[in-house]
């Protein structure tokens, strides 16, 4: 009998937006039917550029038109998926400036502006925990 090997977890390719206002508050969203707060963003469509995906997702989720010139690449991160058990994320992370007037739409149940200390008291997605820690927050 052969050895049993663990198959790698399925990977989701996403684009995630780190949005921080002038007061140092982070914009986090919670999707309908879920409890974890996370960055706005979502799955990258086949053939779609990650930067274009984050601009599209912010528009869909928060009714905000983002100027692509205000989107800065923060690199790629890997994390466990918050809402799809057994899946991993390959996250293309972007800092997005100039986001104001965000309104939760579509699949978003709630959009909140929180300080890192306030965020630490919320149920957070693993990627969000990693990003807050990178920024120096205790979560």
């Amino acid at each position: 009998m052969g050895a049993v090997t663990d198959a790698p977890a399925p990977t989701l390719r996403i684009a995630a937006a780190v949005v921080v206002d002038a007061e140092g508050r982070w914009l986090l969203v919670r999707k309908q039917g879920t409890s974890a707060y996370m960055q706005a963003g979502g799955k990258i469509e086949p053939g779609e550029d990650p930067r274009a995906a984050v601009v599209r997702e912010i528009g869909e989720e928060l009714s905000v038109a983002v100027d692509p010139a205000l989107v800065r690449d923060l690199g790629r991160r890997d994390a466990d998926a918050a809402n799809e058990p057994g899946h991993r994320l390959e996250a293309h992370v972007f800092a997005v400036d100039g986001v104001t007037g965000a309104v939760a739409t579509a699949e978003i149940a709630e959009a909140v502006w929180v300080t890192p200390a306030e965020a630490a008291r919320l149920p957070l997605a693993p990627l969000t925990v990693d990003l807050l820690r990178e920024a120096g927050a205790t979560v």
Side-chain angles (χ1 to χ4, degrees), residues 19-106:
V19 179
V20 182
D21 70 8
E23 288 83 44
R25 297 177 305 166
W26 289 51
L27 178 60
L28 300 179
V29 300
R30 183 177 57 77
K31 297 184 188 255
Q32 297 282 355
T34 68
S35 61
Y37 288 82
M38 62 190 62
Q39 274 60 49
K43 293 179 182 133
I44 300 169
E45 300 293 334
E48 186 176 32
D49 175 72
R51 180 183 306 269
V54 82
V55 169
R56 174 183 54 77
E57 287 285 348
I58 291 172
E60 290 173 4
E61 293 181 355
L62 300 170
S63 293
V64 174
V66 172
D67 179 349
L70 298 177
V71 177
R72 293 174 285 118
D73 190 351
L74 296 178
R76 197 177 65 75
R77 310 289 191 290
D78 295 309
D80 289 329
N83 297 325
E84 300 192 41
H87 287 71
R88 295 279 299 161
L89 297 179
E90 176 186 293
H92 296 264
V93 181
F94 298 90
V96 181
D97 297 323
V99 174
T100 59
V103 177
T105 63

